[in-house]
Amino acid sequence: MTAFPDPMALLVFDIDGVLRDVGNSYRRALADTVEQFTQGGYRPSPEDIDALKGEGIWNNDWEGSQELILRYFEGQGKARDTVAITYEEVVAFFQSRYRGPKQGENDQWTGYITQEPLLVDKTYFDQLTTDGIPWGFFSGATRGSARYVLERRLGLASPVLIAMEDAPGKPDPTGLFEVVDRLTEQHQLPQNLPVLYAGDTVADMQTLGHAQAQRPQRRWIGVGVLPPHVTALGQDYGHAYRETLIQAGAAVVVETIMGFTAQGMEPVLSA
């Protein structure tokens, strides 16, 4: 067990858009899926996907894909309940793109997941530990996908992780509570230690507001992260995205999580 004699805060991370660039993987699979089930009638742009996620309730990309498909057909004058596409079909096609045709053990995956650029490296987490910052992960990604990046690609040994299968989707804070409770017990941390949660979506930031309402004995602080596709769309788009995260509850917004070190946490915690 790592000893944290005088920690200033707990730091919990989302994964997609924070630790790995999913612009050409999850988001590409989402666009492929919508295009497939609209028979080529509609392929959502990055801005379309951001607008959907900006509603704060579409953190699950399978559900987001299905929603955009249904909205397309509604725009064609069809009622939702007449669209003969099942959720299971949407998930299966999405996964065939994201994981690849073989969807068993992760060492067999050949899809978009294998091409995701990392936005962080293991030395970042080693430095957090050296600086006395306990850390863990709460992600809407599947457990297999999350462990693929955390353990296989980043080389983290059995990190504390709550994934899609383990808790309700964000902005429900249940999964965040579970990560914090595990870290608190594992490292014998103070019960009122502030919690920083780093994420890139409105739902991520809204999770902190719900957490604060349900467990007011702690401070729950949102750290917004600009995902790579946002910065690629230009300064004005990045500024608007930053403002959206702040309006959703972010105390600070950073361009890359690598720059958010113990030193950078101090002014956020003292604000």
Side-chain angles (χ1 to χ4, degrees):
M1 182 182 71
T2 303
F4 294 97
D6 190 25
M8 67 174 83
L10 280 160
L11 179 53
V12 183
F13 300 89
D14 182 30
I15 294 176
D16 300 332
V18 177
L19 306 186
R20 61 179 170 187
D21 182 356
V22 296
N24 205 36
S25 58
Y26 266 124
R27 295 170 68 93
R28 182 180 175 190
L30 189 159
D32 286 355
T33 303
V34 175
E35 186 174 43
Q36 170 72 13
F37 287 100
T38 60
Q39 293 81 50
Y42 173 49
R43 182 178 181 86
S45 68
E47 294 90 339
D48 293 338
I49 297 171
D50 284 341
L52 181 78
K53 289 184 175 291
E55 296 174 16
I57 56 174
W58 305 108
N59 194 62
N60 181 316
D61 285 333
W62 301 335
E63 294 176 354
S65 299
Q66 184 178 47
E67 179 63 18
L68 288 179
I69 293 164
L70 293 174
R71 290 184 187 184
Y72 168 80
F73 283 111
E74 283 181 327
Q76 304 299 306
K78 294 187 69 172
R80 286 183 172 229
D81 57 7
T82 66
V83 179
I85 297 168
T86 68
Y87 181 66
E88 290 73 21
E89 290 173 324
V90 169
V91 172
F93 183 85
F94 186 108
Q95 293 296 75
S96 75
R97 288 294 195 266
Y98 181 65
R99 291 188 176 183
K102 293 183 179 180
Q103 296 179 38
E105 294 300 320
N106 59 26
D107 60 358
Q108 297 178 324
W109 293 348
T110 57
Y112 300 155
I113 188 174
T114 63
Q115 305 163 28
E116 293 170 333
L118 294 179
L119 304 174
V120 68
D121 57 36
K122 185 175 182 296
T123 61
Y124 174 72
F125 298 101
D126 291 341
Q127 188 61 53
L128 288 176
T129 300
T130 298
D131 291 336
I133 308 295
W135 45 268
F137 305 93
F138 171 41
S139 172
T142 64
R143 175 165 285 274
S145 173
R147 290 212 172 276
Y148 180 87
V149 66
L150 296 179
E151 298 179 358
R152 182 169 173 180
R153 298 197 64 197
L154 284 171
L156 305 179
S158 301
V160 173
L161 164 68
I162 295 295
M164 177 194 288
E165 301 92 332
D166 305 320
K170 293 173 276 188
D172 188 308
T174 301
L176 181 60
F177 292 155
E178 289 189 34
V179 174
V180 169
D181 290 345
R182 288 189 193 181
L183 288 170
T184 299
E185 181 179 359
Q186 182 176 321
H187 301 296
Q188 299 178 358
L189 302 170
Q191 293 289 330
N192 61 349
L193 201 62
V195 175
L196 297 152
Y197 182 53
D200 68 317
T201 68
V202 167
D204 291 331
M205 298 303 102
Q206 291 177 338
T207 300
L208 280 304
H210 292 296
Q212 191 67 63
Q214 293 181 36
R215 294 193 179 183
Q217 69 273 23
R218 289 187 190 263
R219 286 180 66 199
W220 303 86
I221 304 167
V223 180
V225 182
L226 297 182
H229 80 271
V230 167
T231 54
L233 287 170
Q235 186 174 357
D236 289 346
Y237 193 81
H239 177 75
Y241 197 97
R242 181 187 298 268
E243 288 303 309
T244 297
L245 291 177
I246 291 172
Q247 290 172 14
V252 62
V253 178
V254 297
E255 291 193 7
T256 169
I257 197 61
M258 287 282 284
F260 193 67
T261 61
Q263 197 171 27
M265 295 173 201
E266 292 177 356
V268 179
L269 292 169
S270 61

